Amino acid sequence: MIKIGLVGALVFGTFSSVHASPKELGDEVLGKKDGWASYGEGTTGGSKADQKHIYRVSTKVELIDALGGDNSKNAKNDIDKIIYVEGTIELNVDENNNPIGPEYYEDPDYDFDDYLATYAPEVWGYEREVFGNLENARERSQQNQKKEIVINIGSNTSIIGLKDDAKIIGGSLMMNGVENIIIRNIEFEAPLDYFPQWDPTDGDVGEWNSEYDNVSITNGTHHVWIDHNTFSDGENHDQKSGTYFGRLYQQHDGLLDITNGANYVTVSYNVFKDHDKVSIIGSSDSKTSDRDHLKVTLHHNHYKNLTQRLPRVRYGEVHVYNNFYEFTKHSDYQFDYAFGVGVESKIYAENNYFKFDYEVDPAAIIKNWKGSSIYESGSYVNGKSKHHKVDLLDVHNKSNVVKLNENVNWKPFLFNKIHPTQSVPAHVKSMAGAGQLH
């Protein structure tokens, strides 16, 4: 890890696609009216850091040190700090930066073949969640992995990619009960959960469920700006994990989840691609304490070859505008739905563009998850035919017995320019993602 002094810009050299100097990037804060994260005091990250708390890091150990030095306690470190990521940081490594696999984390009492034999549907059935010694050993194994790959971030922090090749792969960034954080210009690769849990009660035929969101904003965390990053499964597409009990052995969870009373978040100019469950806002139907929280803005993001949760929302007032949704027929990740209307959700969607290289029923873009309302206007849907404006709420209601209304009882006020929908694809493709800061 290198601490940056007054000559930091000279130490770094020049950026390629990133046109500001390192210190200038660290000085940048979220603009006024740029989504919910600009509410009130706004989001400034670590921009007020003194010279002792500006770092350049290229390994997991260096990242943890810059965040405070003790990963179990780093969430409590609220000193202003700017952390520049150089090159690739692999989080699934030991203290010597050597890659590690499931055998490193595996509890002595855990055996996967025994797990399969014990909880097979023909033995265990579908009526009870799994329990017992093997499930306990699986959970301990999972906790062992969590200690290594989940990195805790404290308040008043900016984590910014250096140049256009900064990556953080194989782990999870956790914002838990903190505030005022900026993450920009980094390519993320979702972590693999080596010890997914079999839940026979999940749906009609059970599911494998995993831990570790790529980035998690949770438990009252507020004022977060996620900007110009790229999120994906990298080379670890779901199909490579195979199936057990006739269900996908799912080793991924969310790419960017916002849950448990988190608030005032802006997600702008990111690329999300090649993943199943992308973003859930609100973790539980029964968590009524999420009312008046989960205020999130998603704008000018590129969603490409994804399955669901773009986003799925409970309770929150979520402004979704000028995003570009792009899907190809032969992707490993087949489209299910985009806007998930959950309990008491209040999505306000404007001028989003949906491009499919195959014919799709626009009624599938909205999915009702026990919600009642969504406001939607200005959407364009392009299949093989010429792009055209579609009233997504109308086509949804014509195709479903349970109707949704547009009475979300709020109207966004924290935004700058909302572009005409026809211009969204070109604008977003030229601007979104890591390496595209201008």
Side-chain angles (χ1 to χ4, degrees):
M1 176 176 65
I2 299 176
K3 289 191 176 183
I4 306 302
L6 295 175
V7 294
L10 295 177
V11 172
F12 284 124
T14 59
F15 280 73
S16 50
S17 295
V18 181
H19 300 298
S21 74
K23 190 61 178 78
E24 288 172 343
L25 279 176
D27 286 340
E28 287 185 8
V29 302
L30 181 65
K32 293 181 179 180
K33 295 187 70 176
D34 191 353
W36 273 118
S38 65
Y39 182 82
E41 63 268 37
T43 300
T44 59
S47 61
K48 298 177 183 178
D50 60 29
Q51 295 299 325
K52 293 181 180 179
H53 296 97
I54 303 174
Y55 308 91
R56 184 176 69 183
V57 302
S58 58
T59 67
K60 181 174 81 169
V61 169
E62 291 175 353
L63 175 61
I64 291 171
D65 284 346
L67 287 166
D70 183 344
N71 190 40
S72 65
K73 300 178 180 178
N74 280 351
K76 297 181 179 180
N77 176 20
D78 61 0
I79 295 172
D80 292 84
K81 50 199 168 296
I82 301 171
I83 301 170
Y84 294 105
V85 174
E86 182 177 31
T88 298
I89 294 180
E90 168 63 74
L91 298 182
N92 193 38
V93 294
D94 63 17
E95 60 184 9
N96 297 314
N97 212 41
N98 296 314
I100 48 183
E103 65 284 349
Y104 184 90
Y105 306 115
E106 192 172 271
D107 185 88
D109 293 333
Y110 180 74
D111 182 276
F112 183 57
D113 290 335
D114 289 347
Y115 190 91
L116 292 177
T118 300
Y119 302 118
E122 60 270 22
V123 175
W124 188 264
Y126 293 98
E127 303 302 319
R128 304 171 295 163
E129 294 183 358
V130 299
F131 62 86
N133 292 336
L134 278 168
E135 170 57 19
N136 294 338
R138 183 209 61 81
E139 186 174 358
R140 290 194 297 271
S141 301
Q142 194 174 65
Q143 289 299 311
N144 291 338
Q145 185 180 6
K146 179 179 180 179
K147 290 176 184 177
E148 290 290 345
I149 71 169
V150 176
I151 305 300
N152 295 300
I153 301 173
S155 300
N156 307 315
T157 302
S158 293
I159 302 177
I160 302 171
L162 183 66
K163 299 185 179 179
D164 60 1
D165 64 347
K167 297 181 181 180
I168 297 179
I169 65 176
S172 172
L173 296 190
M174 172 66 69
M175 286 162 269
N176 185 350
V178 294
E179 63 183 282
N180 194 30
I181 295 170
I182 294 173
I183 300 176
R184 305 181 76 194
N185 197 47
I186 296 172
E187 180 176 345
F188 290 95
E189 183 177 305
L192 285 175
D193 183 349
Y194 291 134
F195 308 98
Q197 181 192 42
W198 171 246
D199 183 357
T201 69
D202 188 346
D204 295 332
V205 291
E207 295 289 354
W208 292 96
N209 294 313
S210 64
E211 294 287 336
Y212 320 126
D213 300 325
N214 207 167
V215 172
S216 179
I217 303 170
T218 192
N219 292 334
T221 293
H222 61 92
H223 289 92
V224 178
W225 183 27
I226 307 294
D227 176 71
H228 279 93
N229 303 289
T230 298
F231 297 86
S232 78
D233 287 349
E235 297 181 356
N236 296 312
H237 286 200
D238 284 349
Q239 64 182 13
K240 291 187 176 181
S241 296
T243 60
Y244 296 97
F245 308 152
R247 306 304 295 166
L248 174 70
Y249 190 64
Q250 179 59 266
Q251 294 184 271
H252 293 118
D253 199 9
L255 284 181
L256 174 62
D257 283 2
I258 303 166
T259 58
N260 293 339
N263 216 358
Y264 304 127
V265 178
T266 295
V267 180
S268 56
Y269 288 98
N270 301 281
V271 172
F272 298 90
K273 62 181 181 179
D274 299 330
H275 189 82
D276 183 352
K277 304 170 184 176
V278 180
S279 289
I280 198 162
I281 300 173
S283 56
S284 169
D285 290 352
S286 62
K287 197 170 183 60
T288 56
S289 58
D290 277 340
R291 290 172 181 154
D292 299 321
H293 296 85
L294 302 173
K295 300 179 191 295
V296 179
T297 300
L298 306 169
H299 74 83
H300 295 98
N301 300 291
H302 188 182
Y303 294 92
K304 184 174 183 180
N305 292 333
L306 305 157
T307 300
Q308 59 180 313
R309 301 183 181 178
L310 313 175
R312 177 180 172 183
V313 181
R314 299 176 175 96
Y315 295 103
E317 295 178 1
V318 180
H319 193 195
V320 184
Y321 73 89
N322 278 169
N323 298 289
F324 179 39
Y325 297 83
E326 185 177 17
F327 307 92
T328 56
K329 185 175 183 179
H330 299 294
S331 166
D332 287 342
Y333 297 88
Q334 288 300 296
F335 175 74
D336 183 9
Y337 71 91
F339 303 146
V341 182
V343 172
E344 296 187 30
S345 63
K346 306 170 185 68
I347 298 172
Y348 199 105
E350 298 182 278
N351 293 26
N352 297 289
Y353 196 108
F354 294 83
K355 180 181 180 181
F356 299 85
D357 73 353
Y358 58 98
E359 294 295 342
V360 66
D361 184 354
I365 291 173
I366 295 175
K367 185 169 184 176
N368 189 352
W369 289 97
K370 304 179 185 177
S372 61
S373 59
I374 175 174
Y375 178 88
E376 178 277 324
S377 68
S379 295
Y380 276 66
V381 181
N382 175 6
K384 290 183 179 178
S385 59
K386 186 178 180 180
H387 65 253
H388 58 286
K389 191 173 181 179
V390 176
D391 185 331
L392 296 180
L393 182 58
D394 181 61
V395 297
H396 173 274
N397 285 341
K398 287 179 179 177
S399 299
N400 291 274
V401 174
V402 179
K403 314 300 182 185
L404 298 169
N405 65 67
E406 63 177 13
N407 301 319
V408 293
N409 297 317
W410 79 288
K411 188 173 183 179
F413 60 95
L414 292 170
F415 60 90
N416 294 303
K417 182 179 178 62
I418 296 182
H419 293 92
T421 311
Q422 301 95 314
S423 69
V424 166
H427 178 78
V428 170
K429 285 194 293 184
S430 67
M431 298 288 289
Q436 295 297 323
L437 277 173
H438 296 289

